[in-house]
């Protein structure tokens, strides 16, 4: 079996690239939302996808949560899926900021809009850092207002070999908005990612 | 080989809609797929505000989305599952499908002109009518299956299984909110003899007609089910005992007074009814047992009448049995 684990250098490099991508994303979001947006340096964890459901069970247990998936494809065989997890109470705050309280937009539509804005803004930044560009599939609600969403996450995560868990905290001027983003990357794309990271490292 | 020639014919013949807008959301280009379906000429709409051409489009929401694409330079999406269509366009499916307009998936992509660096937003529109129609049909079938699963095949009232589930729900609700709840159990009198004298077809017809008649006497919230052969039961939510007795008497009178036509004959039938009322200590099974005992007493008293359960009833039945 091919080794999917990252070397320490590769891991540091990825962390750094994600930090920069987050910085770019927060800058864009701040301009778009006309408010100060601070994205904390995200905590990154590379874990086996099978462990993911258990990790989130405690955090979201008994809460009204939503789970939205967005698939992406890049050049050089890089591809994956992002899953954004957040509490619905939090969604209300950012929906107000996006101006969703003034018309009859369905909750489902609001959730997919928020997710695609948060995810693609970050992924575009990450693609820039990797000298790549991503195209995206339409966002899909995996689960919403569903207490048993962990079992759905289990079904989703099952297909992937590696998961990059990125905890993001969006802090806006007046509110804080917590969510978790999970980057799920299949095994062969992990190998591509390692190659790309080696290239980036070689350029330094 | 240069493929510069490709984009022209491709946009002409593409089986998806392409709309290109500038940063003021004015139309730069619309491909024939959209022009033909919307019955517009590209030359006459170029430079116009998109919302002045497609006046039915959801302006507040869509302009917000398009502006997010332009300012974040990241794509946005719209799915038929959340919003059936953005633009009112006809589709080529049979008229029989319930939806009038093409169901659409839409990708909104940020584009930059390579020479001038100007920003544009491109809407790619795909026809999702088939998926929409199939999903509607699926939902309909599921609904029908669910109903069939809950109903008695002969009489069309609730079947025993579903009726009993509903009784559990109503008992819990009555206990929680301290609402009154009553139960009627009734049985067709001398049904076996009717079957023997006129045949099972006549028996089935009587069951159907009596169920129909009684159904017409009930409120929409009452839950009417077939408990067994010729035995039926009715849950009366939010109904105290006196109201339930009133309903039971009305049922008795109407059934006895309504002849059922069968092969040039008028069949007469009657029902005996037992009534019980929920009190906080009762379970659903207690309630059924009480109504059943009252029904038994109604039969014993000579049929075609209403008997209400009372705590001493079980003892009086025992006495009759031992005598």
């Amino acid at each position: 079996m091919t080794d999917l684990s990252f070397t320490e250098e590769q891991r540091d490099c990825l962390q750094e690239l994600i930090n920069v991508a987050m910085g770019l994303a927060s800058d864009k979001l701040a301009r778009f939302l006309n408010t100060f947006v601070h994205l904390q340096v995200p905590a990154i964890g590379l874990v086996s996808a099978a462990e993911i459901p258990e990790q989130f069970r405690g955090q979201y247990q008994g809460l009204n949560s939503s789970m939205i998936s967005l698939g992406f494809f890049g050049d050089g065989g890089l591809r994956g899926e992002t899953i954004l997890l957040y509490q619905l109470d939090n969604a209300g705050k950012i929906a107000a900021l996006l101006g969703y309280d003034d018309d009859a937009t369905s909750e489902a539509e609001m959730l997919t809009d928020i997710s695609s804005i948060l995810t693609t803004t970050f992924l575009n930044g990450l693609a820039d850092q990797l000298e790549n560009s991503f195209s995206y599939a339409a966002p899909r609600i995996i689960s919403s207002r569903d207490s048993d969403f962990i079992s759905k996450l289990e079904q989703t995560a099952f297909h992937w070999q590696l998961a990059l868990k990125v905890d993001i905290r969006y802090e806006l001027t007046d509110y804080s908005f917590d969510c978790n983003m999970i980057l799920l990357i299949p095994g062969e794309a992990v190998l591509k990612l390692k190659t790309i990271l080696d290239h980036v490292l070689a350029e330094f | 080989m240069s493929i510069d020639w490709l984009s022209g014919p491709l946009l002409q013949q593409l089986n998806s809609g392409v709309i290109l807008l500038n940063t003021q959301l004015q139309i730069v280009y619309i491909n024939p797929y959209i022009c033909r379906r919307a019955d517009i000429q590209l030359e006459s709409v170029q430079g116009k505000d998109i919302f002045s051409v497609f006046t039915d489009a959801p302006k507040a929401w869509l302009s917000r989305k398009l502006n997010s694409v332009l300012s974040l330079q990241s794509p946005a999406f719209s799915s038929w599952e959340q919003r059936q269509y953005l633009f009112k366009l006809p589709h080529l499916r049979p008229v029989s499908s319930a939806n009038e307009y093409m169901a659409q998936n839409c990708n909104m992509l940020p584009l930059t002109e390579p020479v001038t660096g100007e920003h544009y937003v491109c809407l790619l529109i795909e026809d999702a009518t088939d998926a929409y129609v199939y999903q509607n049909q699926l939902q309909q079938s599921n609904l029908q299956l669910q109903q069939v699963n809950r109903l008695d095949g002969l009489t069309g009232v609730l079947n025993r299984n579903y009726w009993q589930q509903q009784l559990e729900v109503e008992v819990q609700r009555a206990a929680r909110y301290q609402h009154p709840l009553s139960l009627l159990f009734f049985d067709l009198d001398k049904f076996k003899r009717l079957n023997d004298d006129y045949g099972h077809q006549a028996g089935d017809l009587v069951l159907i007609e009596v169920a129909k008649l009684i159904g017409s006497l009930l409120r929409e919230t009452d839950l009417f089910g077939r408990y067994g052969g010729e035995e039926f039961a009715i849950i009366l939510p939010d109904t105290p005992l006196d109201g339930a007795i009133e309903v039971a008497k009305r049922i008795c009178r109407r059934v006895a007074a309504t002849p059922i036509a069968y092969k040039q004959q008028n069949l007469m039938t009657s029902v005996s009814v037992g009534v019980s009322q929920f009190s906080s200590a009762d379970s659903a099974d207690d309630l059924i047992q009480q109504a059943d005992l009252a029904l038994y007493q109604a039969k014993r008293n000579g049929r075609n009448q209403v008997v209400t359960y009372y705590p001493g009833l079980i003892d009086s039945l025992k006495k009759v049995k031992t005598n």
Side-chain angles (χ1 to χ4, degrees):
Chain A
M1 195 181 146
T2 326
D3 186 15
L4 294 179
S5 59
F6 285 60
T7 65
E8 202 171 319
E9 278 109 8
Q10 286 169 336
R11 195 190 166 96
D12 288 347
C13 177
L14 184 60
Q15 170 84 53
E16 191 48 38
L17 295 182
I18 286 176
N19 290 351
V20 175
M22 280 293 166
L24 292 172
S26 72
D27 181 53
K28 275 188 180 177
L29 284 171
R31 285 167 208 262
F32 179 58
L33 299 173
N34 281 324
T35 178
F36 179 71
V37 179
H38 176 67
L39 277 89
Q40 283 187 346
V41 175
I44 297 171
L46 281 164
V47 285
S48 118
E51 291 168 26
I52 281 282
E54 207 43 58
Q55 298 213 350
F56 285 99
R57 195 184 296 278
Q59 190 173 347
Y60 287 90
Q61 194 92 54
L63 298 170
N64 257 335
S65 331
S66 278
M67 178 160 81
I68 288 113
S69 147
L70 189 100
F72 64 93
F73 284 85
D75 296 327
L78 202 56
R79 66 187 171 93
E81 178 180 358
T82 61
I83 291 175
L84 203 68
L85 283 165
Y86 49 83
Q87 294 174 33
L88 279 177
D89 303 348
N90 274 333
K93 294 177 194 165
I94 201 158
L97 210 64
L98 287 172
Y100 270 95
D101 42 3
D102 63 347
D103 59 6
T105 309
S106 72
E107 183 176 88
E109 197 161 41
M110 185 189 87
L111 292 176
T112 50
D113 284 0
I114 292 173
S115 311
S116 72
I117 284 178
L118 295 181
T119 333
T120 55
T121 314
F122 163 71
L123 285 175
N124 277 349
L126 184 62
D128 280 350
Q129 294 306 303
L130 296 171
E131 292 174 357
N132 208 310
S133 77
F134 293 158
S135 55
Y136 303 98
R140 193 165 51 87
I141 298 180
I142 300 176
S143 150
S144 181
R145 297 196 176 282
D146 184 354
S147 52
D148 192 32
F149 83 104
I150 293 290
S151 71
K152 291 195 175 139
L153 185 58
E154 274 165 358
Q155 291 161 18
T156 308
F158 184 73
H159 300 289
W160 307 93
Q161 284 80 36
L162 179 98
L164 186 59
K165 187 165 147 290
V166 188
D167 296 332
I168 312 169
R169 186 184 170 92
Y170 289 89
E171 281 184 357
L172 309 174
T173 312
D174 299 317
Y175 348 72
S176 65
F177 173 80
D178 291 291
C179 62
N180 290 98
M181 189 165 78
I182 309 166
L183 266 170
L184 294 162
I185 303 170
E188 61 271 34
V190 173
L191 296 177
K192 305 280 182 188
L193 180 61
K194 286 170 65 163
T195 314
I196 293 169
L197 290 173
D198 286 340
H199 279 299
V200 176
L201 284 165
E203 281 171 25
F204 279 109
Chain B
M1 186 189 89
S2 161
I3 51 155
D4 291 346
W5 59 272
L6 181 64
S7 55
L10 204 60
L11 286 170
Q12 284 290 317
Q13 291 169 52
L14 193 65
N15 213 3
S16 303
V18 178
I19 300 175
L20 189 69
L21 305 175
N22 62 19
T23 50
Q24 278 86 55
L25 306 186
Q26 292 159 336
I27 294 170
V28 178
Y29 174 78
I30 300 185
N31 77 338
Y33 180 92
I34 298 285
C35 284
R36 288 175 185 154
R37 281 166 176 76
D39 193 17
I40 52 176
Q41 308 290 323
L42 177 58
E43 302 75 45
S44 61
V45 297
Q46 252 168 344
K48 287 190 179 167
D49 182 287
I50 176 92
F51 299 106
S52 72
V53 177
F54 296 97
T55 50
D56 294 314
K59 184 171 178 175
W61 173 81
L62 185 57
S63 49
R64 196 162 56 219
K65 290 268 269 200
L66 296 172
N67 283 322
S68 86
V69 173
L70 286 163
S71 73
L72 294 171
Q73 286 293 300
S74 61
F77 308 91
S78 166
S79 158
W80 63 271
E81 288 182 271
Q82 278 110 45
R83 192 175 288 262
Q84 195 193 333
Y85 52 80
L86 297 184
F87 305 108
K88 282 187 176 174
L89 301 172
H91 58 75
L92 301 174
R93 298 302 174 278
V95 193
S96 62
S97 64
N99 56 320
E100 209 180 330
Y101 300 105
M102 180 205 290
Q104 296 155 15
N105 282 330
C106 180
N107 282 258
M108 301 162 215
L109 307 171
L111 296 181
T112 305
E113 214 277 335
V115 181
T116 62
E118 275 178 277
H119 289 311
Y120 294 90
V121 55
C122 177
L123 288 87
L124 289 179
I125 294 159
E126 283 164 40
D127 185 347
T129 308
D130 283 338
Y132 177 82
V133 170
Y134 290 143
Q135 202 198 42
N136 269 4
Q137 286 172 349
L138 191 66
Q139 278 171 348
Q140 288 275 281
S141 322
N142 280 343
L143 206 64
Q144 279 167 4
L145 279 174
Q146 195 180 45
Q147 288 206 317
V148 166
N149 208 20
R150 290 173 175 182
L151 299 184
D152 173 56
L154 182 69
T155 60
V157 302
L158 305 179
N159 62 27
R160 176 168 172 168
N161 197 12
Y162 184 66
W163 180 87
Q164 240 165 339
Q165 284 173 21
Q166 292 306 108
L167 180 63
E168 294 287 350
V169 173
E170 291 300 332
V171 162
Q172 279 173 20
R173 207 170 66 93
R176 190 180 319 133
Y177 299 109
Q178 306 201 314
H179 285 181
L181 170 69
S182 298
L183 191 64
L184 306 185
F185 251 59
F186 68 87
D187 193 296
L188 268 66
D189 294 330
K190 296 185 175 168
F191 185 70
K192 186 178 180 309
R193 216 168 109 190
L194 187 113
N195 270 328
D196 291 345
D197 292 352
Y198 297 93
H200 285 283
Q201 277 187 332
D204 285 351
L205 179 75
V206 169
L207 287 173
I208 293 166
E209 290 301 318
V210 168
K212 205 188 292 176
L213 173 66
I214 292 174
S216 73
L217 302 175
L218 299 174
R219 301 168 300 182
E220 222 163 80
T221 48
D222 299 334
L223 295 153
F224 182 15
R226 187 175 177 196
Y227 199 74
E230 71 270 22
E231 199 171 7
F232 293 85
I234 303 170
I235 305 165
L236 300 169
D238 297 315
T239 309
L241 192 60
D242 52 350
I245 293 170
E246 198 55 48
V247 175
K249 284 182 172 165
R250 200 180 310 146
I251 287 172
C252 239
R253 275 201 306 273
R254 286 294 298 274
V255 171
T258 309
I260 295 163
Y262 175 74
K263 292 185 176 171
Q264 282 93 45
Q265 298 174 78
N266 278 330
L267 305 181
M268 298 307 292
T269 186
S270 65
V271 291
S272 303
V273 191
V275 187
S276 67
Q277 185 189 25
F278 172 74
S279 65
S280 54
D282 293 338
S283 68
D285 284 343
D286 293 337
L287 206 55
I288 289 176
Q289 202 192 6
Q290 290 165 9
D292 206 26
L293 279 172
L295 168 59
Y296 186 74
Q297 183 65 34
K299 291 269 183 196
R300 192 165 275 277
N301 288 357
R303 302 184 178 87
N304 189 23
Q305 59 184 277
V306 178
V307 169
T308 307
Y309 173 81
Y310 59 95
L313 181 61
I314 190 150
D315 300 322
S316 78
L317 282 168
K318 273 180 196 152
K319 259 179 227 158
V320 177
K321 274 179 186 167
T322 49
N323 282 349

